[in-house]
Amino acid sequence: MLSFDKKDSFVFFTYFASFAVIVPLSGLYLNNSGFDTKQIGIILGIATLTRVLGPYIFLFLAKIRKDLIGVGTIQCILLLVATILGGLFNNNVIAILALCLTNILWVSILPNLETVSLSYLKGDINRYSTIRMWGSIGFIFVSLWASYVIINFGSKFFWYILIVLSVLQIVSVSSLKNFGPFPVKENQRKIFRLERGLLGYYLVFFLFEMSHAPYNNFFSISLVEHGYSGLYVGSLIAFSVVCEIVTFAKGSVLLKYFDVNRILIFCAITAAIRWLLLEYYISNLFLLTFSQLLHSFTFALYHICAMHVLSRNATQDVLGLRQTTYTVFTMGIAAAIGSYLSGILWHNVLLNVSSFITVGVFSAIISLLLVIFIMISERKHKNTLNYYKIN
């Protein structure tokens, strides 16, 4: 029988292969379907906001069934139904509905996957990083050719690709059932309770995700507008994830030598630089490629830090709540607001800049200031661990 690490790696591989289609290519799919940038921003904002619904609903279901793997398999089956709905009907209203359902179900899977992984690994960030690295490999595997297929063969392939990936997710998630049901206890924390000591970090994570919204939604569209081919689009996205893989493989080592807040400050500064490069040098292939290299810091290293913070002093039940809240704040609310603002401010006449600046850079700067504030606040506590202690 394959080990947990290998099967869990396949789970992350299939999940983030879907990520490679849903996040960077939804805007391209809508653009090829005839929507303008403002409409795309509104549609993606609504579709992304619906992500808030899924995680808490399925966390509640997991508490009732006491089986994270069983609930995860149900989520994957429902995701397959949503993607089939989008692929079957040639109607914009149904396509938008299917996109909303896909976002609800797809995002709600992630907290369960993270909780199962970190619980089984007992918070071992080194093993987690190696497993999570396979998610990045799955992202590369799809992003190399998905954008090319959608651009050259039609927007319907957006759904056809997702249908295949949804089937693979069902297979991969259900394969973990032999390692236990991973029960969720009923008698611990309330589902919607927030921990005071983590509120500042949740806001930082919120701003980081908002900072990425213009990139996630309009990067591929911007490349096409500047004359890059579908192959270039896929290759540049894939290159960013290659850098991400290296960071996931080795990045956790930095936590042994640097305080997590200092790393987050570095990530925020790097993010601001990255969006500035995309704003002013997107036609320069060298600087454009360099900006993709920075993905290893603006996403991968940041994510390692986030998982490190959330796994501190956490039982499985508490970890499940934290992961759900993290997903709702970042991939739900922050991504929705960022998507909406990105569409509205994509070609901002008043400031003469795109949303790479108005949303991306500004969010990164605010997150930088907030991390500095958290770092100063923590220094006032004699024992930093008490700051995270669950009361």
Side-chain angles (χ1 to χ4, degrees):
M1 185 178 70
L2 292 176
S3 67
F4 175 84
D5 289 31
K6 290 181 179 178
K7 287 191 175 184
D8 201 32
S9 295
F10 183 49
V11 170
F12 277 94
F13 179 95
T14 57
Y15 182 85
F16 283 95
S18 297
F19 189 109
V21 180
I22 295 172
V23 175
L25 299 182
S26 287
L28 185 61
Y29 159 71
L30 292 171
N31 188 54
N32 287 355
S33 298
F35 296 97
D36 61 34
T37 54
K38 286 189 177 181
Q39 291 173 327
I40 291 171
I42 293 171
I43 293 170
L44 290 180
I46 294 171
T48 308
L49 186 60
T50 59
R51 295 177 183 176
V52 174
L53 301 174
Y56 282 117
I57 291 173
F58 285 100
L59 176 62
F60 180 72
L61 180 60
K63 285 179 175 289
I64 294 174
R65 287 180 56 92
K66 301 182 179 67
D67 180 4
L68 285 176
I69 300 300
V71 171
T73 303
I74 292 171
Q75 291 170 295
C76 294
I77 293 171
L78 292 175
L79 177 61
L80 174 61
V81 173
T83 56
I84 290 174
L85 179 66
L88 281 179
F89 299 96
N90 189 24
N91 180 287
N92 284 341
V93 175
I94 294 178
I96 293 171
L97 175 62
L99 193 61
C100 289
L101 290 173
T102 298
N103 275 272
I104 291 172
L105 295 162
W106 171 73
V107 166
S108 67
I109 295 170
L110 186 59
N112 283 354
L113 299 186
E114 300 280 18
T115 301
V116 166
S117 300
L118 290 170
S119 297
Y120 190 89
L121 300 174
K122 303 185 185 306
D124 187 336
I125 296 298
N126 288 327
R127 282 177 70 190
Y128 168 81
S129 296
T130 302
I131 291 171
R132 176 59 182 78
M133 176 185 71
W134 281 94
S136 302
I137 294 173
F139 189 104
I140 290 177
F141 178 76
V142 173
S143 62
L144 275 171
W145 53 269
S147 55
Y148 174 82
V149 170
I150 293 170
I151 290 172
N152 290 280
F153 297 101
S155 58
K156 272 290 180 181
F157 278 86
F158 174 85
W159 294 112
Y160 299 154
I161 295 169
L162 284 177
I163 289 171
V164 174
L165 294 174
S166 297
V167 173
L168 291 176
Q169 282 187 66
I170 295 172
V171 174
S172 65
V173 171
S174 61
S175 71
L176 294 179
K177 63 183 180 181
N178 293 329
F179 295 94
F182 297 95
V184 180
K185 298 177 183 178
E186 291 184 43
N187 60 353
Q188 298 223 2
R189 314 289 67 243
K190 295 179 179 179
I191 288 180
F192 295 101
R193 180 174 176 179
L194 294 176
E195 298 169 64
R196 182 188 60 182
L198 291 177
L199 284 176
Y201 281 109
Y202 282 134
L203 187 52
V204 170
F205 303 152
F206 175 95
L207 290 166
F208 260 95
E209 184 66 34
M210 184 182 291
S211 176
H212 281 74
Y215 173 76
N216 290 336
N217 296 317
F218 289 98
F219 179 63
S220 57
I221 295 175
S222 182
L223 290 178
V224 172
E225 288 179 350
H226 284 80
Y228 291 96
S229 66
L231 183 60
Y232 260 112
V233 174
S235 298
L236 284 167
I237 293 174
F239 173 70
S240 71
V241 185
V242 170
C243 301
E244 176 184 311
I245 288 172
V246 174
T247 305
F248 272 123
K250 302 294 183 182
S252 60
V253 176
L254 294 175
L255 290 170
K256 296 180 181 180
Y257 303 102
F258 300 99
D259 176 74
V260 67
N261 292 322
R262 294 182 184 277
I263 298 176
L264 285 172
I265 288 172
F266 172 74
C267 292
I269 294 172
T270 305
I273 294 172
R274 185 183 184 191
W275 312 139
L276 285 168
L277 290 175
L278 290 183
E279 175 70 25
Y280 295 111
Y281 298 100
I282 199 165
S283 297
N284 185 314
L285 187 56
F286 174 77
L287 291 178
L288 177 61
T289 304
F290 177 72
S291 74
Q292 294 298 86
L293 172 66
L294 299 182
H295 191 72
S296 57
F297 307 120
T298 66
F299 176 75
L301 188 56
Y302 145 74
H303 186 73
I304 291 172
C305 290
M307 294 302 102
H308 174 73
V309 169
L310 295 179
S311 62
R312 282 176 171 175
N313 297 333
T315 62
Q316 180 180 302
D317 192 57
V318 170
L319 184 58
L321 173 62
R322 289 180 179 178
Q323 287 292 344
T324 300
T325 304
Y326 171 78
T327 301
V328 167
F329 265 65
T330 57
M331 298 178 73
I333 300 173
I337 295 174
S339 297
Y340 174 76
L341 292 177
S342 297
I344 297 299
L345 301 173
W346 178 238
H347 293 300
N348 189 283
V349 178
L350 181 62
L351 298 177
N352 197 32
V353 290
S354 78
S355 50
F356 284 132
I357 297 291
T358 54
V359 179
V361 174
F362 287 165
S363 296
I365 291 174
I366 296 172
S367 68
L368 167 65
L369 296 175
L370 184 57
V371 176
I372 293 173
F373 174 78
I374 291 173
M375 187 164 61
I376 294 173
S377 298
E378 287 186 355
R379 284 179 179 175
K380 294 179 181 179
H381 293 75
K382 293 181 179 180
N383 187 346
T384 304
L385 288 179
N386 288 335
Y387 192 72
Y388 297 95
K389 189 175 181 179
I390 306 212
N391 299 312

